[in-house]
Amino acid sequence: MVCPDVYIYASAKQWDGVARMRLLMRERKISKPPGWSSIEAVGQTHTFFAFDKSHPSSDEIYNFLKELEETMRAHGYVPETKSVLVNLDEEEKEDLLCGHSERLAIAFGIMNTKEGEVLRVIKNLRVCVDCHTAAKFISRIVTRNDTLHKNAI
């Protein structure tokens, strides 16, 4: 979870306030747990962190997500960049959304399960608005009933 003050400053696009809060958090050794998502596929549990490139299939996963995003856009998907709490241009924010852990887990699950199998993604943090919307589009496109589950830790 993002520190509430950082979120307030970021949502108001007050980037100096964001920088001050992050510096204060660093000085006081306050941190948030990294976001992760896991999925069971191919007989194992696979865990992904946001912007994770450590998985052996990460190149294929990111390529699949790029193709999937193009298809989603053709079906009316518009990225919701308000969830990206950094001062970047819109295109860079859209690129960051593709690196969210639940998208990596969903893509891996689709790539490694048979049609008709239900995908269950477990998360340690809440799902951002854009990933919720993307999951619905992905579910319709790949004709599955993908379910995201929040794991309260």
Side-chain angles (χ1 to χ4, degrees):
M1 177 87 86
V2 175
C3 173
D5 292 331
V6 171
Y7 180 80
I8 291 167
Y9 282 122
S11 62
K13 297 186 186 328
Q14 294 181 7
W15 305 115
D16 290 340
V18 171
R20 282 193 313 273
M21 287 306 301
R22 287 190 173 146
L23 179 62
L24 185 61
M25 289 172 66
R26 208 174 3 256
E27 288 171 355
R28 295 185 180 178
K29 297 183 178 12
I30 298 170
S31 64
K32 71 172 195 71
W36 58 261
S37 299
S38 65
I39 187 167
E40 189 175 322
V42 216
Q44 293 182 331
T45 299
H46 298 264
T47 300
F48 297 89
F49 292 91
F51 316 109
D52 195 355
K53 300 252 181 172
S54 65
H55 195 278
S57 301
S58 67
D59 288 341
E60 293 88 0
I61 293 168
Y62 279 94
N63 288 335
F64 180 74
L65 280 172
K66 282 271 188 217
E67 293 172 16
L68 196 52
E69 184 170 344
E70 289 175 19
T71 306
M72 288 166 41
R73 285 178 187 260
H75 284 85
Y77 165 74
V78 177
E80 173 57 65
T81 58
K82 288 181 187 174
S83 329
V84 181
L85 303 177
V86 290
N87 188 15
L88 298 171
D89 67 37
E90 287 301 304
E91 189 174 317
E92 290 172 306
K93 288 182 179 184
E94 290 174 12
D95 287 342
L96 282 180
L97 291 170
C98 279
H100 285 186
S101 64
E102 57 266 49
R103 289 199 196 187
L104 300 174
I106 289 169
F108 179 80
I110 292 168
M111 293 167 56
N112 289 282
T113 58
K114 296 175 185 161
E115 188 169 330
E117 286 187 53
V118 174
L119 303 182
R120 288 187 180 87
V121 176
I122 300 170
K123 293 193 47 58
N124 70 326
L125 301 173
R126 66 182 173 82
V127 176
C128 78
V129 172
D130 185 71
C131 287
H132 183 263
T133 301
K136 289 191 289 186
F137 271 91
I138 292 168
S139 183
R140 279 187 234 130
I141 290 166
V142 298
T143 62
R144 296 192 183 197
N145 293 319
D146 300 336
T147 307
L148 293 172
H149 293 280
K150 182 177 175 185
N151 184 12
I153 290 183

